[in-house]
């Protein structure tokens, strides 16, 4: 029986990972800020799938929260075989419309927490010669569109670079880059979604299934849908100056209102 630790496990992509991994027979360490929701989730997954689900309440926007999760990942007596760094959020508003405190909080969760938790997990996994890490980024990483996209671009570059450095160690790292997924993400940020076309929405459970397949195949980058793969292919061949204008207009049309 292997163990997976999932941050941001109580909703959206994190909850989809928890459901799939529990169904596959993995024990879980569930990490989020809301203890009540964590306990309800742990009970449900235990009762439905017969797995053990440990609850770890932590706010990854704080040093204390990051240290608590890093400590669990470093526990060699109760090893974690798969880490899913999923916790994240968006700020409503363009650059300079969002407070510096909120921008720094985002960087703490999206970058510093991912760095420190990945490092804690990878070090323990390397000692055992096996393990996997999925860092959830976004297709926003590939377009010049705000600080959210910039933070996710860091996740992609860091993950792929670390994967190269750990090649041959038995530790697999992969950046997962979904598009729009129907979760609590937009609601929590106060973002409207009525203007986003139906074809752009992804199913969280299907996304997770594809991501786990890509990880097993040794991919370091997963864009888990043909539609977004085509879009990102177009992004690669579009001049950056033109892309900046397109992403700005697209953001005003389909982004937060």
């Amino acid at each position: 029986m292997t163990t997976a630790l999932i941050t941001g496990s109580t909703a959206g992509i994190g909850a989809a990972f928890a459901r799939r991994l529990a169904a596959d027979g993995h024990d879980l360490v569930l990490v989020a800020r809301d203890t009540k929701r964590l306990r309800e989730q742990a009970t449900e997954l235990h009762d439905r799938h017969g797995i053990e689900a440990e609850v770890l309440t932590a706010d990854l926007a704080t040093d204390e929260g990051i240290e608590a999760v890093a400590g669990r990942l470093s526990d060699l007596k109760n090893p974690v075989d798969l880490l899913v760094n999923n916790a994240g959020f968006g700020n409503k508003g363009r650059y300079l419309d969002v407070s510096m405190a909120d921008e720094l909080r985002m960087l703490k969760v999206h970058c510093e927490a991912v760095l420190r938790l990945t490092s804690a997990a990878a070090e323990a996994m390397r000692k055992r010669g096996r393990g996997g890490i999925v860092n959830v980024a976004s297709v926003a990483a590939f377009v010049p569109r705000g600080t959210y996209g910039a933070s996710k671009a860091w996740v992609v570059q860091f993950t792929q670079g670390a994967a190269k450095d750990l090649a041959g160690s038995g530790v697999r790292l992969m950046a997962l880059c979904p598009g729009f997924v129907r979760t609590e993400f937009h609601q929590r940020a106060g973002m409207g979604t009525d203007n986003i076309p139906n074809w752009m929405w992804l199913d969280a459970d299907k996304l997770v299934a594809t991501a786990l397949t890509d990880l097993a195949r040794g991919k370091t980058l997963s864009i888990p849908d043909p539609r977004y793969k085509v879009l990102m292919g177009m992004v690669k061949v579009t001049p950056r100056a033109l892309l900046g204008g397109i992403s700005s207009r697209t953001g005003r049309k389909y982004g937060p209102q």
Side-chain angles (χ1 to χ4, degrees), residues 122-145:
E123 185 63 37
M125 291 173 182
R126 184 169 63 173
K127 290 178 180 178
R128 300 196 311 277
R130 66 183 186 279
I133 299 171
V134 176
N135 291 330
V136 179
S138 168
V139 293
F142 305 111
V143 294
R145 178 65 183 169

Side-chain angles (χ1 to χ4, degrees), residues 1 4 7 18 60-61 65 84-85 103 130 141 146 176 217 236 257:
M1 186 78 72
T7 69
L60 298 181
V84 180
N85 270 318
E103 295 282 33
R130 66 183 186 279
L176 172 60
R217 290 174 176 171
K236 288 182 180 180
Q257 301 298 304

Side-chain angles (χ1 to χ4, degrees), residues 163-179:
K164 289 182 179 180
D165 287 344
L166 291 174
S169 69
V171 183
R172 294 181 177 181
L173 291 93
M174 185 183 77
L176 172 60
C177 296

Side-chain angles (χ1 to χ4, degrees), residues 15-32:
F17 267 108
R19 290 192 297 270
R20 172 58 187 268
L21 292 168
D24 288 347
H26 298 274
D27 288 336
L28 300 176
V29 181
L30 305 171
V31 180

Side-chain angles (χ1 to χ4, degrees), residues 75-198:
D75 186 351
L76 297 179
K77 294 183 179 179
N78 299 288
V80 170
D81 304 277
L82 174 65
L83 165 64
V84 180
N85 270 318
N86 168 72
F89 62 94
N91 289 319
K92 183 179 181 180
R94 299 182 186 181
Y95 173 61
L96 294 186
D97 292 337
V98 178
S99 72
M100 184 57 63
D102 286 341
E103 295 282 33
L104 291 173
R105 182 168 169 264
M106 176 186 288
L107 292 177
K108 186 88 170 180
V109 175
H110 289 184
C111 301
E112 182 180 341
V114 169
L115 170 63
R116 292 170 64 181
L117 299 187
T118 297
S119 299
E123 185 63 37
M125 291 173 182
R126 184 169 63 173
K127 290 178 180 178
R128 300 196 311 277
R130 66 183 186 279
I133 299 171
V134 176
N135 291 330
V136 179
S138 168
V139 293
F142 305 111
V143 294
R145 178 65 183 169
T147 51
Y148 177 84
S151 71
K152 292 303 187 178
W154 183 90
V155 173
V156 172
Q157 294 296 318
F158 162 68
T159 302
Q160 291 194 294
K164 289 182 179 180
D165 287 344
L166 291 174
S169 69
V171 183
R172 294 181 177 181
L173 291 93
M174 185 183 77
L176 172 60
C177 296
F180 289 107
V181 184
R182 294 195 184 279
T183 69
E184 295 178 7
F185 177 92
H186 298 90
Q187 180 182 355
R188 287 180 175 179
M191 300 175 181
T193 59
D194 292 341
N195 57 333
I196 299 173
N198 286 332

Side-chain angles (χ1 to χ4, degrees), residues 5 9 26 42-43 46 63 67 78 101-102 121 133 159 175 197 211 214 218 221:
L5 185 149
S9 71
H26 298 274
T43 298
H46 169 76
D63 285 330
E67 289 166 3
N78 299 288
D102 286 341
I133 299 171
T159 302
D214 286 347
L221 178 68

